[in-house]
Amino acid sequence: MDSPGTPCSKAAVTDALAHSVPLFDPAQMPLRDWCAGSREDPLTGLITFPDFHSNIPRALAAALTDGELVGLAIGDVDGLKDHVEQANATDPNCYGHLAGNRVMARLGAVTRTWFHTQPWERGCAATFGGDEVIIAATLDNAAAFHRAVAELRDRLADELPVRVSFALTVASAEHLPAGRSQGNWKHVFTDGLLASTDRCLFASKSARRTTGGEGGIIAVTQPPLPGPTAPASDHRTLLPLPVGTETLHVLARPLGTGASNMMLLPCAGPAGLRGKRLRVTFADGRARTAVAVSVRGQAAISLPDETAGTIPPDAPGMPLALQPIRDRAARGVPDDLAAALDRAELDWSVLPAHEQAQMLHLITESATDDIRTARITAVIDAVATRTRS
């Protein structure tokens, strides 16, 4: 509604509308093989959701049946309503909702540009709801998809006045339903993937708001497996555990009967018998140290009984934020060695103290950078060999 005494002039209206209209080449649809012939959303330039929803089930089923991995990500604008209301209160053109249009138009333009830089053989980007975007593509591994979505998240943060949070999942042939005789199973399966990813996004954004964290998170979940709950056997769908200063948002799910306090993470299990220490932050803001262990190749952590008992039976899982903890023995090592150990996900403490001292001496006495790099590489090889043995 216009404020009394400050009517919007015709020129102001025309200017506001002009700046809210997206400028893009309709020929540059964000698709590669999938969803060809779909209509274009007039605001974002992305594929319209009805056409995406009509075409993508066949594409996903075919890719998974052929043994390929498929990544699915949903992005939701953080605080768009607040941004629109703020613009409505301060915009001299009196058209606050056009601020929302401008955000979505720019989101579409950035997403289209980003999509065309990706190496995927098949994929597409579509609208999903009023202020959401959805990405689907064939992949080599989950980590590459996570990095690609993080790149899009960061580009959007640079271009938009608000942040965009994402949830993603990676599916393989093992996630296909066992009984595929019904004619509509592809749509039912696709809706299940969309639902699990969307619920992960809602749960993780709610936890982020509770803890007061910044928007623009990326949360990771697993698609539902057919049959009883069990660790994933196709480890290409799993992310590595966080290293260095990374924070990984995940939706953990119970391991199953007989281990009610064990939660599976959508991550590959750590090497070695000692596990990997993590700082785990819960949805209510509480944080504790936990040790991630490998359960048939997938990471899992043990929760206190009182915490595990708070998960509703119909909940998609428990939103957690994971951060690595550097062991005390590793804190005294040089930064470049510590970073190399983190990247390789290796535990320096598997080496005896006298071997650690000898290696540190050799590294610190290196005459040139090349020699130092070679000696750090040798240390990483030694730690990896000791870990496997």
Side-chain angles (χ1 to χ4, degrees):
M1 177 181 296
D2 297 342
S3 301
T6 56
C8 294
S9 67
K10 183 176 181 180
V13 173
T14 303
D15 181 70
L17 288 171
H19 285 289
S20 73
V21 175
L23 299 174
F24 51 80
D25 182 0
Q28 294 297 311
M29 290 281 282
L31 59 85
R32 203 166 290 152
D33 188 33
W34 285 354
C35 299
S38 296
R39 292 167 295 177
E40 185 177 56
D41 177 68
L43 180 60
T44 63
L46 306 177
I47 298 169
T48 61
F49 181 72
D51 289 357
F52 170 87
H53 193 243
S54 175
N55 289 286
I56 202 65
R58 291 184 295 275
L60 294 185
L64 295 176
T65 301
D66 288 343
E68 295 185 278
L69 295 184
V70 170
L72 191 70
I74 297 174
D76 179 61
V77 179
D78 299 323
L80 184 61
K81 182 175 182 292
D82 292 339
H83 173 70
V84 169
E85 291 179 348
Q86 176 67 17
N88 197 47
T90 59
D91 190 341
N93 294 326
C94 307
Y95 278 85
H97 277 89
L98 293 182
N101 283 0
R102 287 194 286 267
V103 167
M104 295 309 299
R106 192 63 192 149
L107 181 148
V110 173
T111 301
R112 290 193 314 276
T113 301
W114 163 86
F115 180 87
H116 290 299
T117 66
Q118 299 307 310
W120 304 321
E121 292 185 6
R122 286 172 293 280
C124 59
T127 58
F128 186 65
D131 58 351
E132 295 173 313
V133 59
I134 187 165
I135 313 293
T138 55
L139 317 168
D140 293 326
N141 56 68
F145 190 53
H146 187 265
R147 288 193 297 269
V149 174
E151 179 189 349
L152 175 59
R153 183 268 316 268
D154 294 342
R155 287 194 188 185
L156 292 170
D158 291 338
E159 296 281 348
L160 302 181
V162 288
R163 306 276 297 194
V164 180
S165 291
F166 287 86
L168 67 83
T169 193
V170 177
S172 68
E174 70 177 348
H175 297 104
L176 289 170
R180 299 194 284 273
S181 57
Q182 294 183 344
N184 69 335
W185 74 266
K186 296 174 184 177
H187 279 273
V188 173
F189 170 72
T190 301
D191 286 347
L193 283 180
L194 291 170
S196 62
T197 309
D198 207 32
R199 294 179 77 187
C200 172
L201 180 59
F202 273 93
S204 299
K205 287 189 66 167
S206 175
R208 190 265 303 170
R209 287 191 294 268
T210 300
T211 58
E214 188 179 13
I217 65 170
I218 298 178
V220 184
T221 188
Q222 287 184 272
L225 283 165
T229 302
S233 59
D234 189 343
H235 295 161
R236 296 177 301 163
T237 65
L238 302 174
L239 286 176
L241 288 167
V243 298
T245 59
E246 294 177 352
T247 298
L248 184 63
H249 297 268
V250 302
L251 198 67
R253 59 184 177 87
L255 177 58
T257 57
S260 59
N261 65 334
M262 291 293 291
M263 302 291 289
L264 284 171
L265 309 177
C267 305
L273 301 177
R274 297 183 58 179
K276 182 179 178 67
R277 297 171 68 236
L278 298 170
R279 189 66 173 171
V280 181
T281 303
F282 297 90
D284 60 3
R286 292 181 301 111
R288 64 182 293 269
T289 299
V291 177
V293 297
S294 184
V295 179
R296 281 177 271 173
Q298 183 169 350
I301 60 173
S302 178
L303 301 181
D305 291 337
E306 61 272 17
T307 301
T310 61
I311 306 175
D314 59 344
M318 175 180 287
L320 304 174
L322 310 177
Q323 295 173 300
I325 297 176
R326 185 177 297 174
D327 290 330
R328 290 188 178 89
R331 288 177 184 169
V333 306
D335 290 342
D336 48 359
L337 174 57
L341 289 165
D342 282 341
R343 286 194 299 271
E345 299 183 35
L346 294 173
D347 182 1
W348 168 252
S349 63
V350 301
L351 296 177
H354 70 280
E355 290 187 21
Q356 294 179 14
Q358 292 171 351
M359 292 177 177
L360 289 176
H361 176 74
L362 289 172
I363 290 173
T364 56
E365 295 298 318
S366 299
T368 66
D369 290 342
D370 289 342
I371 293 175
R372 184 182 180 94
T373 300
R375 288 177 176 175
I376 288 176
T377 301
V379 170
I380 296 301
D381 292 340
V383 176
T385 300
R386 184 63 63 91
T387 298
R388 289 193 296 269
S389 63

